[in-house]
Amino acid sequence: MDNATRSERSRNAALEAAIAIIARDGPGRLTLDAIARESGLSKGGVMHQFRTKEAVLKALLERQMAHFEEFSTRYMAKVSESSASPNLATQLATIREAATSPNSAALALVAAMVENPRLMALPREREMERMAAIREEAADPDLAMLRWAGAMGLLLSALFGMSPLGKEEHQRLFARLLDDGQWSGLEQPAGKRAAKSSVPSATKAAGPRKRA
Amino acid sequence: MDNATRSERSRNAALEAAIAIIARDGPGRLTLDAIARESGLSKGGVMHQFRTKEAVLKALLERQMAHFEEFSTRYMAKVSESSASPNLATQLATIREAATSPNSAALALVAAMVENPRLMALPREREMERMAAIREEAADPDLAMLRWAGAMGLLLSALFGMSPLGKEEHQRLFARLLDDGQWSGLEQPAGKRAAKSSVPSATKAAGPRKRA
DNA sequence: CTTTACAAACCGCCCAGTCGGTTTTATAAA
DNA sequence: TTTATAAAACCGACTGGGCGGTTTGTAAAG
């Protein structure tokens, strides 16, 4: 086997093993020996590919980021024409994907944070770019950010095993977050705030039933 | 000094130390020796008050829960008359409190999760009760849950050090989440969904929902 | 005197990282 | 094609420190 592909296979196996361990046993059980055992490699082999444990975490993080980056660009290509706010739609869909992906890919974040909080700088900066794009395209930037925050809340609370929501509710809420039509009723021009209670009713036949 | 108060002081010192360590060095650095060093107690003293490390985490978790419980009931008493959805308002305010409290109290959750995911059962069950109350009182339960999720997203993403939002944006978004008037424009009677959806939903006709 | 709160040395285990050695691949001279 | 040499990938025993937890001793409270 070619040397380059041999290395790549080993690195890959190690990272897959790391994900499996985190998902099965929790981030606290992720050790270099465990990775070696799970991947079939020896400890030395793992250490040859990654000089330190932090390097493993970093590679893991970058791998996950790349994966969702790809999902993102594919989704973006699909909706960039049909949606008025493609960046927001893409982010919401990506977060939903992360929340429903069985391998609990986002757990890599937890592992990284426990071991070395500085590693979070990478995903944060990436997220800031996206957030800027979302703001640019939004008629009501704050509302867009709140929809983003809602998706993150669903994802992270589920990740922590402390979501009080059922799986079906989960899906329904994500669907509503993604549905632009559901939110157009209360968009506010940037910089202006008003305490109004009348209903513009652009999107629905039945008005709210109960008001204070 | 009285024996009972002496014990209480020691337990308190240990827990304060634990919080300080988590906030300063991250959850991965929380060790019994570190707690002993930080609190001024000896390791034996710490172990006398808490037979195991898990007991420390559990006590820490209960302490934080009690703290926010108190905040909750106080806030609830204030708004129970003036708001149409006092449970939701209280939860949102409590989450905001957790997000802005300097001691990063909620970090105890992360520490607990890393060490022993089972400990999350307590806060989750408490959260489910509250979620039920929120649903009961809401004209549009799903929208209420989404506002809750938005607050959680703001809190947790900030906790992870991966929030792309500035401090001022943070506050502004929380304020908007709390403002009932901002959301009345798109309430939907429970059990009914607008047909305008541009995104196909996976679940439909899930059955009748419970109304207050 | 008995019990409780604390101190400090200590134990065994686990973990990240090291090291000398072996196997596999790459290069190239014979 | 064969052989020689170097480099890269890999192995697994080992080390030193840190960890959770125990044990023994001491002083204060009751």
Side-chain angles (χ1 to χ4, degrees):
Chain A
M1 190 195 306
D2 186 289
N3 246 348
T5 64
R6 194 154 75 120
S7 274
E8 196 187 331
R9 270 168 58 114
S10 291
R11 294 174 64 89
N12 234 322
L15 295 181
E16 294 285 356
I19 291 181
I21 292 164
I22 295 174
R24 189 183 58 235
D25 306 327
R29 296 293 170 95
L30 182 67
T31 70
L32 293 173
D33 295 82
I35 292 174
R37 242 181 291 120
E38 183 90 13
S39 66
L41 294 174
S42 71
K43 178 100 176 265
V46 175
M47 295 307 287
H48 177 72
Q49 297 295 339
F50 306 96
R51 294 213 314 280
T52 149
K53 188 184 179 182
E54 179 170 330
V56 178
L57 270 309
K58 194 176 166 197
L60 196 57
L61 216 57
E62 280 165 359
R63 190 185 140 101
Q64 299 300 333
M65 283 177 65
H67 173 247
F68 288 110
E69 197 82 23
E70 195 208 331
F71 179 93
S72 242
T73 50
R74 270 220 317 274
Y75 193 96
M76 182 83 142
K78 261 186 199 160
V79 298
S80 61
E81 301 302 324
S82 61
S83 171
S85 46
N87 280 288
L88 176 60
T90 298
Q91 270 315 289
L92 293 177
T94 304
I95 293 172
R96 177 176 60 180
E97 171 71 9
T100 55
S101 89
N103 54 359
S104 291
L107 276 173
L109 280 179
V110 186
M113 186 207 178
V114 170
E115 211 75 34
N116 184 358
R118 280 179 300 151
L119 287 173
M120 305 302 270
L122 286 95
R124 180 173 58 243
E125 281 178 21
R126 188 72 191 86
E127 207 68 31
M128 284 179 71
E129 296 172 21
R130 284 170 164 146
M131 192 57 68
I134 289 176
R135 269 204 220 92
E136 293 289 326
E137 76 188 2
D140 183 344
D142 280 3
L143 178 60
M145 287 194 279
L146 284 176
R147 284 166 73 186
W148 173 87
M152 283 303 268
L154 292 177
L155 165 60
L156 293 177
S157 67
L159 242 179
F160 273 67
M162 60 170 296
S163 168
L165 279 50
K167 193 159 173 55
E168 163 219 340
E169 276 172 320
H170 212 70
Q171 280 182 290
R172 191 175 66 240
L173 293 181
F174 263 116
R176 184 158 173 184
L177 277 175
L178 268 161
D179 186 354
D180 285 335
Q182 298 276 345
W183 303 94
S184 54
L186 45 62
E187 279 176 1
Q188 309 250 338
K192 196 115 190 246
R193 301 288 306 281
K196 58 192 202 126
S197 28
S198 69
V199 183
S201 89
T203 69
K204 56 187 183 331
R209 187 159 301 168
K210 168 170 145 193
R211 286 291 335 170
Chain B
M1 190 193 307
D2 188 292
N3 248 345
T5 63
R6 196 152 74 117
S7 274
E8 196 186 331
R9 270 166 58 115
S10 290
R11 292 175 65 90
N12 234 322
L15 296 181
E16 294 285 355
I19 291 181
I21 292 164
I22 296 174
R24 189 181 61 235
D25 307 326
R29 294 293 167 91
L30 182 67
T31 71
L32 293 174
D33 294 82
I35 292 174
R37 243 181 290 122
E38 183 91 13
S39 67
L41 294 173
S42 71
K43 191 168 176 182
V46 175
M47 294 308 286
H48 177 69
Q49 298 296 339
F50 306 96
R51 293 213 314 278
T52 140
K53 186 184 180 181
E54 179 170 329
V56 177
L57 271 308
K58 196 177 166 195
L60 196 58
L61 216 57
E62 281 166 358
R63 189 184 142 101
Q64 299 300 334
M65 284 177 64
H67 173 247
F68 288 110
E69 196 82 24
E70 194 209 331
F71 178 94
S72 239
T73 49
R74 270 220 316 274
Y75 192 97
M76 183 82 142
K78 260 185 199 158
V79 299
S80 61
E81 300 303 323
S82 61
S83 172
S85 45
N87 281 288
L88 174 59
T90 298
Q91 270 315 288
L92 293 177
T94 304
I95 293 172
R96 177 175 60 179
E97 170 70 9
T100 53
S101 86
N103 54 358
S104 292
L107 276 172
L109 281 177
V110 187
M113 185 207 179
V114 170
E115 212 74 34
N116 184 357
R118 280 178 302 150
L119 287 174
M120 305 301 271
L122 286 94
R124 179 172 59 245
E125 282 178 20
R126 187 74 190 84
E127 206 68 31
M128 284 179 72
E129 296 172 20
R130 284 172 164 146
M131 192 57 68
I134 290 177
R135 262 198 289 255
E136 292 290 327
E137 74 187 4
D140 183 344
D142 279 3
L143 178 60
M145 288 194 280
L146 284 177
R147 285 166 72 185
W148 172 87
M152 283 303 268
L154 291 177
L155 165 61
L156 293 177
S157 67
L159 242 178
F160 272 66
M162 61 170 296
S163 167
L165 278 48
K167 195 162 173 51
E168 160 219 340
E169 276 172 319
H170 213 69
Q171 281 183 289
R172 192 175 68 240
L173 293 181
F174 263 116
R176 183 158 175 183
L177 277 175
L178 268 161
D179 184 357
D180 285 336
Q182 297 277 344
W183 302 95
S184 55
L186 44 63
E187 280 176 358
Q188 309 253 336
K192 238 191 193 153
R193 296 291 310 282
K196 181 169 190 267
S197 171
S198 57
V199 178
S201 137
T203 65
K204 79 184 261 198
R209 292 215 58 79
K210 183 160 94 176
R211 287 300 314 273

